[in-house]
Amino acid sequence: MKSAWLLLVALATALSTSARAQGLDFGKIEIATDQIAPNLYMLSGSAGLDPAHEDAAGGRIGVLTGADGILMVDAQYGELADKVLAAIRRISSAPVRFLVNTHIHRDHTGGNAFFAKMGATIFAREELRAGMGNATRTVNGNRVPASEPAAIPVVTYGMGEPVRLHMNGEVVDLIAVRAAHTGGDTMIRFENANAIMIGDYYRNYGYPFIDIANGGSLKGMLEALDATMKIAQADTRLVPGHGTIIKRADLIPYRDMISAVAGKVQQLIAQGKSREDVLAAHVTAPYDAGVPGGLLPAAGAGGTSADRFISEVYQDLKGGK
Ligand SMILES: [Zn+2]
């Protein structure tokens, strides 16, 4: 009887989680524009409408404008592409020439095909291109179909020297990050604007998300944060894919939290504890009060953002990566 009840609870939880994941009403989402330098803008979706990102629907977009044309960083959900274009057109009538993806998730790449068909050339990591062509990929346990050909990046690069674009009086560096949030992360630095778009290996809404199924890793998260701290100056604006704009000093407690949680999980693994035991130990408890959204369900993950993070750390450390 008890197990039937548990099954029912599990079923109800799964149903409500998938309803939340599908509960996006794109029609209600508006795109807000913030200017962060004379020719650099950030576009964000409305708050409170995307269950996966309550702070702002979808991933943030960067727009560099000027006589040389537009460079975009990320492309939001494809369903919002018309609204994103309308927001860009309120800033500039120049052609969208280049689009760079910070990583593969659809809240960052969904609009790729729309902008590619308008003539934009898409830049991204080789791993991202390979992932987009893969028909058996999953995110949070959900199958993701292969992307349509137009969405797939044309210019790819690996680790090593940054790809550098010189346009609109700006120097834009596409800096590859070792497998962190996903296996194909890039941070995008605007040298003159003194801003870096850092994608999703840092977040200040919910706990970190290490997408192991798409190549992310704990070690890479820590390395990506170290690399960012090295490249950024104290006053450099760091623009995450979600959440509020931060400075280099904000990375320190975040990195410390990840390494402290990983240390505790490692201890429990050494004591022979199972994944369930580790989750029950709630090793993020000291940080919960300081992580907005940390105890809310993570869309599609079947648990809270804290549970997802702890599970990922457990899986990564258990796998010996
Ligand atoms: Zn992401």
Side-chain angles (χ1 to χ4, degrees):
M1 195 59 206
K2 195 178 169 213
S3 67
W5 171 242
L6 281 176
L7 191 73
L8 211 80
V9 170
L11 216 95
T13 310
L15 280 172
S16 76
T17 307
S18 80
R20 284 176 65 91
Q22 290 159 10
L24 258 168
D25 185 350
F26 290 105
K28 283 189 183 158
I29 299 170
E30 297 301 330
I31 304 294
T33 302
D34 292 297
Q35 184 172 22
I36 70 157
N39 62 344
L40 182 63
Y41 299 81
M42 301 292 140
L43 310 184
S44 323
S46 313
L49 294 174
D50 180 354
H53 312 103
E54 294 283 355
D55 55 314
R60 183 181 269 119
I61 289 176
V63 180
L64 176 73
T65 62
D68 300 330
I70 289 168
L71 174 137
M72 285 174 75
V73 176
D74 282 342
Q76 258 283 13
Y77 291 119
E79 292 87 340
L80 297 174
D82 284 323
K83 289 182 182 176
V84 169
L85 180 62
I88 292 172
R89 286 293 167 249
R90 286 192 284 273
I91 308 167
S92 166
S93 58
V96 179
R97 287 181 67 196
F98 304 112
L99 165 57
V100 189
N101 292 139
T102 59
H103 66 287
I104 195 167
H105 292 150
R106 82 175 183 110
D107 50 328
H108 301 264
T109 58
N112 273 15
F114 178 94
F115 290 99
K117 286 172 186 170
M118 285 181 58
T121 300
I122 305 176
F123 284 64
R125 294 279 298 280
E126 282 154 19
E127 292 86 345
L128 188 152
R129 181 182 157 85
M132 278 197 142
N134 178 355
T136 60
R137 204 161 68 77
T138 62
V139 174
N140 282 330
N142 300 316
R143 279 282 285 274
V144 180
S147 304
E148 63 172 300
I152 296 178
V154 172
V155 183
T156 62
Y157 48 90
M159 297 295 298
E161 284 300 304
V163 175
R164 190 160 286 164
L165 290 94
H166 301 263
M167 57 189 292
N168 299 325
E170 183 56 275
V171 180
V172 186
D173 303 314
L174 316 186
I175 303 169
V177 167
R178 210 170 287 285
H181 174 59
T182 69
D185 291 1
T186 297
M187 65 169 121
I188 293 94
R189 174 169 60 172
F190 298 89
E191 293 188 8
N192 298 329
N194 194 19
I196 308 177
M197 295 193 69
I198 59 176
D200 287 6
Y201 57 82
Y202 170 90
R203 67 176 56 211
N204 51 27
Y205 189 88
Y207 277 98
F209 176 20
I210 308 170
D211 185 358
I212 294 173
N214 283 289
S217 76
L218 170 63
K219 192 162 175 274
M221 289 285 268
L222 297 171
E223 281 187 24
L225 294 165
D226 290 342
T228 312
M229 283 190 249
K230 234 181 231 169
I231 290 164
Q233 293 155 351
D235 63 346
T236 303
R237 271 166 302 176
L238 303 176
V239 184
H242 311 276
T244 55
I245 294 176
I246 56 160
K247 296 278 169 66
R248 183 172 68 181
D250 298 310
L251 297 175
I252 297 164
Y254 181 80
R255 191 199 187 285
D256 288 349
M257 182 269 291
I258 296 175
S259 70
V261 167
K264 283 185 193 163
V265 171
Q266 185 68 72
Q267 273 176 14
L268 294 170
I269 290 173
Q271 291 164 20
K273 303 288 189 196
S274 68
R275 179 179 166 278
E276 285 64 34
D277 294 336
V278 173
L279 282 176
H282 203 153
V283 295
T284 59
Y287 306 99
D288 288 344
V291 179
L295 298 181
L296 291 179
T304 66
S305 165
D307 291 341
R308 178 174 70 181
F309 172 50
I310 296 163
S311 296
E312 291 158 354
V313 170
Y314 176 85
Q315 188 189 338
D316 186 299
L317 291 172
K318 198 73 178 166
K321 275 185 205 168

